[in-house]
Amino acid sequence: MDLFQIAAALITLAAVFAYINHTLLKLPMTIGVMILSLIFSLILLLNGAFLPSIPKTAEAIISQIDFSDALMHGMLGFLLFAGALHVELEDLAQQRWLIGLLSTIGVLMSTFIVGGITYGLMSFVGIELPLVYCLLFGALISPTDPIAVLSILKQAGAPREWGAKIAGESLFNDGVGVVVFLVMLEIVTGEHEFDMLHIGKLFLTEAVGGAIFGFVLGYTAFLMLRKIDNYQTEVLLSLATAAGGYALALALHISGPIAMVVAGLMLGNHGRKFAMSDRTQENLDTFWELVDEILNSVLFVLIGLEMLVFTFTREYLIAGILLIPSVLLARLISVGVPVRVIGLKKSFTPGVIAILTWSGLRGGISVALALSIPVNTAFGGATEREALLAVTYMIVVFSIIVQGLTIQPFIRYQLGPTMDATATSTSLEANKDDLGPAQK
């Protein structure tokens, strides 16, 4: 199959699954689509007992799709830009210390905690995995996935304050997490030894460079938008900002994800208030909401179908089951320490640690990073990579389905009767309605 046929098949499956979910399951669309995609994959595998050619053909088709490249070098820029457009800077500023610590210290803590636990559990189940591979796994599974978080929060009914905490952290910690992963990957492949100077340089280039580039990109787009009042051209400029900006960031070897978050925040706040008419805002929001929903549907279909190309042995299944609570424990510690530190000077709503722990979803980014690990490295080969892919996939599926479906009741339970009814209905998607009048 060529690229067009594969894209057509994925879009068709996404549309059919979205229709079935809307009419029958009535779950949040991304979760419903992924569940149906998993069921579809299982049916194909079960049919292999009678018609072996069916799962083999499906596996051959899915193998043609470079999931890591499609997400990290394709869809990710659009999805992050679309998500950042609807996040208010004022809300982020109020939570800046918590978001900053969770996105940096929290990610590093989780990486080493997960890595250490994984090393012990893998040995326990009979899988010999070098420590450096376990740390690599810790790096790819520790960042929360902004795509999964933002898409599910839209329908979770979280109060505005919590939307800022959860979405703000997820938007920024994936950029830091990718840098940590790249450092560990260089060690695994033998490209670089552990060197603090090199790590610092890589962080400055990727993270800080990405933030500066995103600000320049967003401000340039803002200046262009301010000079015109034509929503078709303005929507096209926003699309160019996401597509061209992300491609240029990758070419410059700086963090494309962080650049898209900063550029999206710039246009979604300063640009919306001072450079867009009401009509432009309405059309811009409609366009990017459609882009977000379509790409999310295709992405979650792909996640479900990836099951066809992964290997699940008895040992991998046991390891994955044991690592699910282990990753949650690492998340609890990496959230609890920063919250306790900031809590010395600032009070938090009771339940903040529990809510941030349970809302830390893992998604397609973790799968994409795992798939980017080379088959042969200085410390291992196909077996080590296969083990990491299997346990990563199991944790991601659990995170999206179980955590994703229970976020709303979990927040309600933690906040209790004191939660304001009006705030409860204010989701991340509705935050844009609170913006001031447009000025042109």
Side-chain angles (χ1 to χ4, degrees), residues 322-373:
L322 293 175
L323 280 171
I324 287 171
S326 302
V327 170
L328 285 171
L329 174 63
R331 170 72 178 170
L332 177 67
I333 297 171
S334 62
V335 165
V337 172
V339 168
R340 295 298 184 192
V341 170
I342 298 176
L344 296 175
K345 292 186 176 182
K346 177 182 178 181
S347 61
F348 286 103
T349 306
V352 60
I353 296 175
I355 292 174
L356 287 174
T357 298
W358 194 248
S359 62
L361 305 183
R362 275 71 180 186
I365 290 178
S366 293
V367 177
L369 292 177
L371 284 167
S372 70
I373 300 172

Side-chain angles (χ1 to χ4, degrees), residues 25-59:
L25 300 182
K26 301 188 184 302
L27 297 172
M29 189 172 76
T30 50
I31 299 178
V33 164
M34 190 177 121
I35 289 174
L36 290 169
S37 183
L38 287 168
I39 293 172
F40 180 71
S41 298
L42 285 171
I43 290 173
L44 290 178
L45 290 173
L46 291 174
N47 280 335
F50 308 101
L51 297 169
S53 61
I54 293 179
K56 288 182 179 179
T57 302
E59 181 181 340

Side-chain angles (χ1 to χ4, degrees), residues 253-398:
H253 300 291
I254 57 179
S255 177
I258 291 179
M260 287 302 97
V261 170
V262 174
L265 288 171
M266 187 78 182
L267 288 189
N269 288 269
H270 199 64
R272 190 189 297 272
K273 291 179 180 178
F274 302 111
M276 298 181 195
S277 65
D278 291 335
R279 189 180 186 190
T280 295
Q281 288 187 48
E282 182 181 351
N283 283 282
L284 184 79
D285 288 337
T286 300
F287 173 79
W288 280 105
E289 283 166 12
L290 280 172
V291 170
D292 187 46
E293 292 295 338
I294 292 169
L295 290 182
N296 264 306
S297 297
V298 173
L299 172 61
F300 281 80
V301 165
L302 263 176
I303 292 175
L305 294 176
E306 284 294 318
M307 184 173 65
L308 294 169
V309 297
F310 292 162
T311 301
F312 296 96
T313 65
R314 178 176 173 272
E315 289 77 13
Y316 295 168
L317 290 172
I318 295 173
I321 292 171
L322 293 175
L323 280 171
I324 287 171
S326 302
V327 170
L328 285 171
L329 174 63
R331 170 72 178 170
L332 177 67
I333 297 171
S334 62
V335 165
V337 172
V339 168
R340 295 298 184 192
V341 170
I342 298 176
L344 296 175
K345 292 186 176 182
K346 177 182 178 181
S347 61
F348 286 103
T349 306
V352 60
I353 296 175
I355 292 174
L356 287 174
T357 298
W358 194 248
S359 62
L361 305 183
R362 275 71 180 186
I365 290 178
S366 293
V367 177
L369 292 177
L371 284 167
S372 70
I373 300 172
V375 174
N376 295 306
T377 70
F379 291 87
T383 302
E384 289 77 8
R385 181 177 184 270
E386 189 178 83
L388 290 189
L389 284 173
V391 296
T392 298
Y393 191 78
M394 291 177 65
I395 291 169
V396 166
V397 170
F398 173 88

Side-chain angles (χ1 to χ4, degrees), residues 90-219:
E90 182 182 348
D91 294 336
L92 290 183
Q94 292 175 356
Q95 308 295 337
R96 61 187 180 278
W97 291 111
L98 179 60
I99 291 172
L101 283 178
L102 291 177
S103 302
T104 52
I105 303 301
V107 170
L108 289 172
M109 286 181 61
S110 178
T111 296
F112 285 98
I113 294 171
V114 171
I117 294 175
T118 301
Y119 185 70
L121 285 179
M122 287 295 189
S123 298
F124 175 74
V125 300
I127 301 173
E128 294 301 323
L129 201 63
L131 178 60
V132 68
Y133 263 93
C134 296
L135 291 173
L136 184 66
F137 171 70
L140 68 87
I141 207 67
S142 290
T144 57
D145 190 331
I147 298 170
V149 171
L150 291 169
S151 63
I152 293 170
L153 271 181
K154 286 180 180 179
Q155 300 180 38
R160 181 167 168 170
E161 175 194 358
W162 287 98
K165 286 187 177 79
I166 299 168
E169 182 209 356
S170 68
L171 283 169
F172 285 101
N173 73 3
D174 71 303
V176 176
V178 169
V179 174
V180 176
F181 174 81
L182 291 175
V183 170
M184 296 307 306
L185 187 62
E186 288 182 348
I187 296 173
V188 169
T189 57
E191 185 177 343
H192 278 283
E193 294 183 355
F194 184 82
D195 181 359
M196 287 302 298
L197 183 63
H198 173 70
I199 293 172
K201 181 181 177 182
L202 183 63
F203 179 81
L204 285 174
T205 303
E206 287 276 343
V208 180
I212 294 172
F213 176 76
F215 177 81
V216 173
L217 183 70
Y219 190 72

